[in-house]
């Protein structure tokens, strides 16, 4: 990265994990949980979860933040590796609707972006279809 070399998503994830783990033992540890996603010609699409302790996990799907406890179970039950883009958006709509029913949430719309071999593409907005 500093010397002009491109990193694959997995190499970037391992580098970030090592940096977090190294700084964990210093006076200035990083307090960050993150999702890292990317596409590589060899490995294809990748999604990684890295927590503040330097734990790294490659995931087929991931959620982040306080509402993750609601959404992760829904994705675990309904996600399939062979889903197309429309089915993925429908699953995301289902998760948003469940959050509106079960969680204190007042966000009028969600912006959706797709990451693939062609880069980042905005897919538009998703609006909740249920009342809180």
């Amino acid at each position: 990265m500093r010397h002009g070399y491109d990193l694959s998503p997995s190499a970037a994830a391992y580098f970030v994990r090592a940096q977090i783990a190294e700084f964990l033992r210093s006076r200035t540890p990083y307090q960050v949980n993150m999702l890292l996603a990317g596409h590589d010609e060899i490995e294809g699409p990748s999604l990684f979860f890295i927590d503040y302790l330097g734990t790294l996990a490659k995931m087929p799907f991931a959620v982040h933040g306080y509402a993750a406890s609601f959404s992760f179970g829904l994705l675990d039950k309904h996600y399939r590796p062979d889903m197309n883009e429309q089915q993925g958006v429908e699953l995301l709509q289902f998760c948003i609707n469940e959050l509106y029913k079960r969680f204190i949430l007042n966000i009028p719309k969600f912006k959706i972006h797709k990451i693939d071999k062609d880069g980042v593409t905005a897919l538009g907005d998703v609006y909740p279809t249920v009342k809180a």
Side-chain angles (χ1 to χ4, degrees), residues 77-132:
K77 182 175 182 179
H78 298 288
Y79 171 80
R80 294 184 331 272
D82 63 338
M83 294 175 82
N84 62 31
E85 182 179 306
Q86 181 61 34
Q87 292 169 326
V89 171
E90 289 171 1
L91 180 55
L92 184 59
Q93 178 75 59
F94 178 67
C95 289
I96 290 169
N97 288 340
E98 287 297 314
L99 287 175
Y100 261 78
K101 285 192 263 183
R102 301 171 187 264
F103 192 64
I104 301 170
L105 193 63
N106 191 19
I107 300 172
K109 67 180 177 181
F110 294 82
K111 295 190 177 295
I112 302 176
H113 291 79
K114 174 180 73 169
I115 301 171
D116 62 7
K117 66 182 183 320
D118 300 321
V120 179
T121 307
L123 297 180
D125 298 334
V126 171
Y127 298 90
T129 58
V130 297
K131 299 276 185 190

Side-chain angles (χ1 to χ4, degrees), residues 16-32:
V16 170
R17 189 216 68 78
Q19 292 298 301
I20 290 173
E22 181 180 331
F23 277 85
L24 183 65
R25 292 157 187 85
S26 73
R27 291 180 182 243
T28 57
Y30 293 117
Q31 296 293 319
V32 61

Side-chain angles (χ1 to χ4, degrees), residues 49 61-77 95 98-99 102-104:
F49 173 77
F61 55 84
V63 290
H64 201 286
Y66 190 61
S69 58
F70 297 100
S71 301
F72 200 76
L74 296 171
L75 290 172
D76 190 40
K77 182 175 182 179
C95 289
E98 287 297 314
L99 287 175
R102 301 171 187 264
F103 192 64
I104 301 170

Side-chain angles (χ1 to χ4, degrees), residues 2-14:
R2 290 182 184 148
H3 305 288
Y5 294 106
D6 291 332
L7 291 178
S8 68
S10 61
Y14 283 101

